Amino acid sequence: MKSLLRQIPQISKVVEIFKKKYPEIYVVKAAREVAEKYRKEIIEGKRKDLNGFLEDVERKIKSLMKPNIKRVINATGVVINTNLGRAPLSKDVINFISEIANGYSNLEYNLEEGKRGSRIAHIEKYLNELTGAESSFVVNNNAGAVFLVLNTLAEGKEVIISRGELVEIGGSFRIPDIMKKSGAILREVGTTNKTKVSDYEGAINQNTALLMKVHKSNFYMEGFVEEVKLEDLVKLGHKYGIPTYYDAGSGLLINLKEFGISVDEPNFRDCISLGIDLVSGSGDKLLGGPQAGIIVGKKNLIEKIKKNPIARALRIDKLTLSGLEMTLKLYFEKRYEDIPVIRMLTQDEKALRQKAKRLEKLLKDIPGLKISVIKDKAKPGGGSLPELELPTYCVAIRHDRLSSQELSRRLRLAEPPIVCRIREDQLLFDMRTVFHEDLKTIKKTLQELLSI
């Protein structure tokens, strides 16, 4: 064993072999990691020779040189897949971000007046026009928006909210925790399944700063349930002169019923038209843009939010701002088909079946695969539209040698990674979230994986 340990190549010699081919920093790190791995295996009696050492080092170098964040093919059927980065962006948006990132910009410079300007001014007119709000503001995400609203308007004061709306969002973040950190005092009313206007009214006192409602975007309740309607909350707020705030969550800008999706999902414009004083939502969910927290509503309240020093800590950068501006521009021009999330949510079954048939045809000559096209259900995802199931078509495959779990694992580790779902020991490629340009990549990847 000691003799074999002494034969492990010195790091300096490995560097000499690879230094002309790869950056030295990666060679040194890879050589050390592989040497340590071999040393451990020898001591544990799991390795009897050094065969493949240099090959393992080179594989490790290539692995280290790859970026950690990768472009992934989403074949899960979950449109707004949080784990896979939520909303994919439009090509127009991507090109505009690239243009702005490639040089200087008028981010905070008023070109007409020749002096410092506001970064939010670039998108405020779009947001006001699209939502019907008096004013608007944007921060880095919707949790930040909720925090900023509460801290600005209710620090040290009470915020009344239904017990049934104290939700937990992604990453174990909970509305009560955000409220506590904001300095607002939580005053929960009603019960888990039933809250009435009288519950809100009974809790109002001299220290009440805000009447708040949270959209249950990532779950739903049915049966013996009751919640306060937005319009009733508005009336109550007007009666006592207390602002109303609605965390709409999913950031929907349009009425999905116009596209044949029969859901009662709140959108910004409808909420503002009902008289809610402030509404916030995410930029990278149903809106289909980059991550952002959008706040729209009454001008006097938005002005207070803008002046809060914490707003600077939550502000969005120029790339996010550019992506959001171009996304809003697409909405303004009614180019909904160019927004990937909207396009995927509204794809018709015929188009999905045609796409599935095309992939089936591409895969039919790969040995060992049993292929079929099946009808199934997809999900919007991202904590949005929890009740909605979208009809979809999938290409289902089985391999005569590999289990579906093993094939799924290999696809996840491929370049680019392909993430599918498994049902009844079949690997499903859901066409609702697979782009046309990815079909040939799926074929090529499967061919390479199954030829090993």
Side-chain angles (χ1 to χ4, degrees):
M1 180 179 73
K2 290 182 179 179
S3 174
L4 191 58
L5 287 170
R6 285 194 292 269
Q7 292 176 42
I8 295 176
Q10 294 179 357
I11 303 300
S12 59
K13 291 183 178 179
V14 177
V15 170
E16 284 300 314
I17 294 171
F18 289 113
K19 70 178 184 180
K20 291 184 179 180
K21 193 173 181 182
Y22 303 107
E24 186 174 329
I25 189 168
Y26 293 112
V27 178
V28 171
K29 183 172 177 58
R32 284 174 176 166
E33 289 186 14
V34 173
E36 181 59 31
K37 176 176 177 288
Y38 272 57
R39 190 175 291 111
K40 184 179 179 182
E41 289 176 353
I42 291 169
I43 292 171
E44 292 175 350
K46 297 177 181 178
R47 178 171 289 278
K48 304 299 181 183
D49 56 55
L50 299 179
N51 293 341
F53 181 85
L54 292 179
E55 290 82 355
D56 283 348
V57 170
E58 187 163 23
R59 274 193 291 271
K60 189 66 178 178
I61 292 169
K62 291 178 179 178
S63 174
L64 290 171
M65 290 179 67
K66 293 174 183 175
N68 291 319
I69 298 180
K70 306 172 187 289
R71 196 256 179 187
V72 171
I73 294 176
N74 176 13
T76 66
V78 179
V79 176
I80 309 166
N81 195 313
T82 298
N83 294 338
L84 302 184
R86 287 192 178 166
L89 300 177
S90 159
K91 286 183 171 59
D92 293 279
V93 172
I94 294 166
N95 291 336
F96 186 56
I97 291 174
S98 178
E99 178 186 332
I100 297 303
N102 198 35
Y104 296 101
S105 67
N106 63 329
L107 177 66
E108 289 189 351
Y109 186 72
N110 188 314
L111 294 170
E112 289 185 5
E113 299 179 5
K115 62 182 182 181
R116 182 166 184 160
S118 164
R119 66 177 60 197
I120 301 301
H122 298 295
I123 58 174
E124 190 170 5
K125 289 182 180 178
Y126 279 124
L127 283 171
N128 296 349
E129 179 71 26
L130 290 166
T131 66
E134 293 178 7
S135 187
S136 50
F137 193 60
V138 179
V139 293
N140 60 353
N141 63 32
N142 192 46
V146 173
F147 179 90
L148 188 60
V149 169
L150 295 175
N151 179 263
T152 303
L153 303 179
E155 186 177 17
K157 296 183 178 181
E158 292 186 2
V159 176
I160 303 175
I161 184 172
S162 167
R163 184 172 282 110
E165 295 172 3
L166 296 175
V167 301
E168 179 177 306
I169 55 178
S172 299
F173 289 98
R174 295 175 173 178
I175 287 293
D177 297 335
I178 295 172
M179 293 180 74
K180 184 177 180 180
K181 287 292 183 181
S182 75
I185 301 168
L186 168 65
R187 185 72 184 273
E188 55 185 281
V189 296
T191 62
T192 303
N193 61 318
K194 277 202 168 195
T195 301
K196 303 175 182 180
V197 175
S198 58
D199 294 319
Y200 272 88
E201 188 165 18
I204 292 174
N205 60 61
Q206 291 183 338
N207 201 36
T208 302
L210 206 59
L211 303 180
M212 183 177 179
K213 186 171 174 61
V214 177
H215 177 49
K216 299 185 288 290
S217 58
N218 57 0
F219 74 101
Y220 68 95
M221 295 189 294
E222 58 183 4
F224 192 61
V225 296
E226 182 180 350
E227 65 176 284
V228 177
K229 294 180 180 179
L230 288 176
E231 50 266 45
D232 292 333
L233 195 66
V234 169
K235 290 177 184 176
L236 185 64
H238 287 170
K239 180 179 178 180
Y240 290 92
I242 301 171
T244 51
Y245 168 43
Y246 185 41
D247 173 16
S250 59
L252 185 62
L253 265 181
I254 56 177
N255 189 336
L256 289 175
K257 289 182 179 179
E258 296 176 9
F259 298 86
I261 300 177
S262 298
V263 290
D264 291 317
E265 184 75 8
N267 63 73
F268 281 113
R269 177 169 284 278
D270 287 348
C271 294
I272 291 297
S273 68
L274 289 172
I276 290 287
D277 295 306
L278 288 174
V279 184
S280 71
S282 298
D284 57 349
K285 292 186 179 181
L286 292 177
L287 191 145
Q291 177 180 295
I294 297 167
I295 310 169
V296 299
K298 293 290 192 292
K299 186 176 179 62
N300 65 317
L301 300 178
I302 295 290
E303 287 304 312
K304 290 180 181 179
I305 289 168
K306 288 179 178 179
K307 292 175 182 177
N308 188 328
I310 294 174
R312 178 158 180 107
L314 299 173
R315 74 178 184 178
I316 58 174
D317 69 293
K318 66 180 180 181
L319 303 186
T320 304
L321 190 69
S322 304
L324 185 56
E325 180 187 358
M326 185 54 68
T327 302
L328 295 173
K329 187 173 184 289
L330 294 175
Y331 276 100
F332 185 73
E333 296 171 358
K334 300 188 185 301
R335 292 169 55 192
Y336 307 127
E337 181 66 20
D338 292 330
I339 302 168
V341 163
I342 302 300
R343 186 174 65 246
M344 284 187 280
L345 287 173
T346 58
Q347 285 179 100
D348 63 58
E349 293 184 48
K350 182 179 178 182
L352 292 168
R353 188 174 185 276
Q354 288 174 343
K355 197 193 302 184
K357 284 293 184 182
R358 184 183 169 203
L359 181 59
E360 180 188 37
K361 186 176 180 180
L362 287 171
L363 302 182
K364 69 177 183 179
D365 295 328
I366 298 178
L369 281 186
K370 182 180 179 182
I371 309 162
S372 61
V373 171
I374 64 170
K375 193 171 182 179
D376 203 29
K377 298 289 185 182
K379 298 288 289 183
S384 303
L385 306 171
E387 297 177 74
L388 182 64
E389 291 187 327
L390 299 163
T392 190
Y393 279 91
C394 302
V395 174
I397 67 171
R398 276 198 182 98
H399 191 256
D400 59 8
R401 181 170 48 86
L402 299 174
S403 69
S404 295
Q405 286 78 9
E406 174 60 20
L407 188 51
S408 176
R409 186 189 71 84
R410 294 190 184 189
L411 285 167
R412 292 197 309 272
L413 298 178
E415 291 291 341
I418 302 171
V419 183
C420 306
R421 69 175 187 266
I422 297 174
R423 197 190 74 180
E424 297 176 359
D425 201 33
Q426 294 184 106
L427 200 59
L428 305 186
F429 297 82
D430 193 316
M431 294 300 101
R432 192 166 283 276
T433 53
V434 173
F435 300 140
H436 282 284
E437 56 266 33
D438 291 332
L439 298 181
K440 289 184 179 179
T441 303
I442 292 173
K443 174 187 177 180
K444 181 174 179 289
T445 303
L446 281 169
Q447 285 177 322
E448 292 173 352
L449 290 177
L450 298 178
S451 65
I452 300 173

